[in-house]
Structure formats: C-alpha cells, structure tokens
Amino acid sequence: MKVHLNPNPNPLADSIREERLAQGGFGKYYTDNMVVAEWSEADGWSDAQLIPYGPITLDPATAVFHYGQEIFEGMKAYGQPDGSISLFRPEENAKRFARSAKRLALPEMSVEFFMETVKELVKQDRKWVPQKVGESLYIRPFMIATEVGLGVRPSNKATYYLISTPAGAYFNAANAVTVWISTEYVRAAQGGTGEAKCGGNYAASLVAQKQAAAQGCEQVVWLDAKDRFWVEEMGGMNLYFVKGSGKDAKVITPKLTGTLLPGITRDSILSVAKDLGYEVEEVMFSIDDWRDGIASGEITEVFACGTAAVVSAVGAAKSDHGTWVTGDGKPGPITMQIRETLLGIQHGTIPDTRGWNVKVC
Ligand SMILES: *Cc1c(COP(=O)(O)O)cnc(C)c1O
C-alpha cells in the first residue's frame, strides 16, 4: 500500500503560518494537506492519497451520519533539539486503531500502512510542527462508514482520513481542574465500546459534560456502569492517584477492566513513574477509596493524562456526595515531575531509553 503525493500547490504563506503557530491554541487551524484512503469489501484498501486539506462531500444517506460507525485516534509529532521531528509511540496508536476498527465492524488497517500515512503527512507539513517544549503537531486519524443507504448493517465501504492541527502550550502550571463524578450517566458498560476510540462514546458523554459545567466543573469522571462505585476515567483522559509523598509515594491508576480506554499516556506513565523511583500499581479504585483517601490525607495528588494535555492536575472532585479537594487544590510535585519527565522524553531533552520516539524527518 502506497501513499501518492499530490500536495497542496498553494500552501499557506510562511508569514501567515508563523502567525497562526504563534497564536497557540488547539484545533483552530489545520495544516495544508490531508490523507485519504478508501476501502471496499470487494477490493480492500486503495492506495492512500496525500491531497490539499479541504471539505469532503458525502451523500446524505451515507451510513456514518445515521448509525455513527466511526473511529479515531489522537497522536502527536514533537520537534527535537536537533531540528528533527519525532512521533511518540505511533505504533501503539496504529494497533489501537486496528482494535477500534474491529470493534466497530470497520476494516482494519495494517500498522505499516497507518504509519506510512502519518509519516508522509508530517513530512509534507513539517513546517507546521511547533518547536517549543509543550507545543506539538496533533494528528487526528479517523475512519467513517461510507456505504450509502439506511439499512442497518456493517458498511461495505469505509474511508480513512488523516488531518493535523498545531497544538500550542495552553498548559497553565497553576491550574488544576475540578471534576464532576457522574452517578447518573455512564460512559461504558461491559461488552460495550469503552475500549474502542469511537465518536459514539463521546456523543453519549456530552450530556454529562453539560451537567458537570452546570456544577462548575470542567470535566466528568466516569464510574463503572454496574455498581456506580469503581472509578474508571475522566472525560477523554485516564486518571492517576498519588498516595503519600516523597520517595515513598505510591502512584496508582484504575485497572483496565474492559470498559476503560487503554491510554498510551497512561501506559507510558506506568513506566516513567517506576523509573522515577515510585511504587506503581494498577488497581480497582472506588469512590470510597477516593473520598476516604482525601479525608485521611493519604491521597496527596490526583491527575489525569492523555495525548492532548499530557498530564493535568485534578484539584477537586464534586459529586452528589460532596466535594473533595486534593491537598491545597494546586498541582502537586509528583504530578509536575511526571509531567516534566514525559514531556522531556517526547521533546528529546530527557533520554528516551525505550525507543518510544520514532523519527520522521
Ligand atoms: C484517547 C483517550 C484517552 C487517552 O489516551 P491516550 O492514548 O493517552 O491519548 C483516555 N480516555 C479516553 C476516553 C480517550 O478517548
């Protein structure tokens, strides 16, 4: 499978691009190009085309609009000190994309084909990769069901797209988010699509996001569907809890039960925290553990992690049962240390001992 290059003949002028990069932000501007590949049951995958970024035209009866058969990924390209550009653990995104495809009855793409499309887009749009620490190019692969017709069945056609947008350093070190623990709505149940990265999971979560906002919270924390007792994750990020402090601190994260999205950042932090000398554990963690741990002072820090924001502190949690403030409500030292270490590895300022960074150009 090849990627044919038909790049934008009129890329944005350097001065305008620089202006847009300097604005920071996230998801406001998109790069000059995108990648498209088509699949059909009869012919399998076509070669991919790298083409100018632009709108797509679809028949109103296209399957994705009606039954939500869609998956996506989120990954980043980081500028390195020597001027090169690296992706962070991109093969993990490729593998997860294939697993999500399988769950949504969409065609799997090989890791090689996926990687090739990402590398070609980053090479083509390399001037869009911001250079400062904390900045990156966010890459969004996605796949939609494109069979035309209103019959409910797995689509016999699908289209893969790849777009990218510069991500500025919007992180404010003094900020910690306040989260709303939803006991009314759930994100995922056993046998559902919680482990897959699909738009449908997000569609079903937005009403709870609205509720959270009405409570003055920025994010929703999801509990398990059956008992509404076990803490799963936060919005589009996984959660971590720190018990104790200093060298004896223990860093724990909810165990993957089949309903949590297995985050690549989550997985990376399991290794990074261990390297930093902390005891690390994946556990079943309940709302009682959270409340009691905060009350006794055993839980000293709470943070969320994901590709987009990397690591962000959780300053307080609210629910029908009250409000629990983490420590002094500000990002804690271990949260910041883990954040700095992971960012350092991604930006090539801290040695990458596991070969996580994949050089593109
Ligand atoms: C993408 C995502 C995450 C984080 O995964 P990363 O691979 O670390 O970016 C966590 N939870 C949900 C629901 C997600 O969609």
Side-chain angles (χ1 to χ4, degrees):
M1 235 68 75
K2 282 183 57 176
V3 182
H4 298 277
L5 304 181
N6 302 298
N8 196 329
N10 299 305
L12 210 62
D14 288 347
S15 59
I16 301 176
R17 190 189 59 249
E18 294 299 337
E19 216 171 83
R20 291 184 176 182
L21 287 176
Q23 278 180 36
F26 174 72
K28 187 165 176 197
Y29 300 112
Y30 292 83
T31 62
D32 294 307
N33 296 284
M34 64 185 204
V35 176
V36 185
E38 285 176 357
W39 175 89
S40 74
E41 204 161 71
D43 301 323
W45 282 105
S46 68
D47 281 349
Q49 303 283 340
L50 184 144
I51 57 174
Y53 183 91
I56 53 185
T57 303
L58 291 166
D59 189 293
T62 300
V64 66
F65 296 137
H66 305 278
Y67 309 121
Q69 204 185 350
E70 186 264 1
I71 57 168
F72 66 97
E73 265 305 322
M75 56 204 294
K76 280 178 168 177
Y78 296 88
Q80 303 296 304
D82 65 358
S84 66
I85 295 167
S86 288
L87 296 162
F88 183 71
R89 306 188 72 185
E91 286 172 11
E92 296 304 314
N93 296 96
K95 287 188 230 162
R96 190 170 63 191
F97 196 57
R99 291 198 303 271
S100 298
K102 196 165 184 186
R103 179 61 184 83
L104 271 288
L106 283 163
E108 287 172 54
M109 257 177 116
S110 72
V111 168
E112 296 72 32
F113 189 30
F114 178 97
M115 290 285 291
E116 205 48 38
T117 63
V118 174
K119 285 183 176 176
E120 289 301 338
L121 184 67
V122 171
K123 269 190 226 167
Q124 197 67 46
D125 286 337
R126 63 173 300 162
K127 288 180 173 172
W128 285 89
V129 181
Q131 289 300 320
K132 287 197 215 99
V133 170
E135 299 181 343
S136 56
L137 183 70
Y138 182 86
I139 301 160
R140 168 54 59 88
F142 63 105
M143 196 196 299
I144 58 172
T146 48
E147 183 176 354
V148 173
L150 299 182
V152 179
R153 59 176 171 271
S155 179
N156 63 16
K157 286 200 179 99
T159 308
Y160 163 78
Y161 295 95
L162 182 61
I163 58 175
S164 61
T165 178
Y170 59 89
F171 183 76
N172 178 345
N175 274 2
V177 296
T178 300
V179 298
W180 173 249
I181 302 175
S182 177
T183 46
E184 184 175 358
Y185 299 107
V186 293
R187 191 190 84 96
Q190 289 294 340
T193 55
E195 272 185 331
K197 223 169 162 66
C198 63
N201 288 341
Y202 280 82
S205 78
L206 300 175
V207 65
Q209 177 74 42
K210 235 177 171 173
Q211 252 181 5
Q215 297 286 341
C217 299
E218 288 109 314
Q219 292 285 343
V220 181
V221 164
W222 301 106
L223 302 177
D224 76 289
K226 189 164 158 278
D227 301 321
R228 310 277 165 102
F229 182 62
W230 303 105
V231 177
E232 299 207 323
E233 52 185 313
M234 180 194 95
M237 300 173 84
N238 294 108
L239 282 169
Y240 269 91
F241 299 85
V242 180
K243 286 187 174 174
S245 57
K247 277 277 153 245
D248 299 326
K250 195 161 157 184
V251 175
I252 64 181
T253 190
K255 200 167 155 172
L256 300 177
T257 56
T259 52
L260 283 75
L261 195 290
I264 297 162
T265 318
R266 173 190 181 279
D267 183 72
S268 304
I269 289 173
L270 288 174
S271 301
V272 165
K274 209 179 290 167
D275 287 353
L276 291 170
Y278 302 117
E279 194 184 327
V280 175
E281 224 176 21
E282 295 175 86
V283 296
M284 295 298 290
F285 189 84
S286 73
I287 35 170
D288 287 357
D289 293 333
W290 192 340
R291 184 193 53 224
D292 297 348
I294 291 284
S296 72
E298 192 188 14
I299 294 176
T300 50
E301 302 180 36
V302 182
F303 64 89
C305 64
T307 297
V310 189
V311 167
S312 39
V314 176
K318 269 186 166 182
S319 74
D320 290 335
H321 311 293
T323 300
W324 319 321
V325 177
T326 322
D328 61 1
K330 299 216 173 64
I334 293 174
T335 301
M336 292 310 290
Q337 184 191 26
I338 289 172
R339 178 182 161 82
E340 296 309 318
T341 307
L342 193 54
L343 272 174
I345 295 170
Q346 291 166 333
H347 283 278
T349 57
I350 290 177
D352 166 28
T353 56
R354 292 185 176 77
W356 281 345
N357 292 333
V358 174
K359 186 175 165 174
V360 178
C361 53

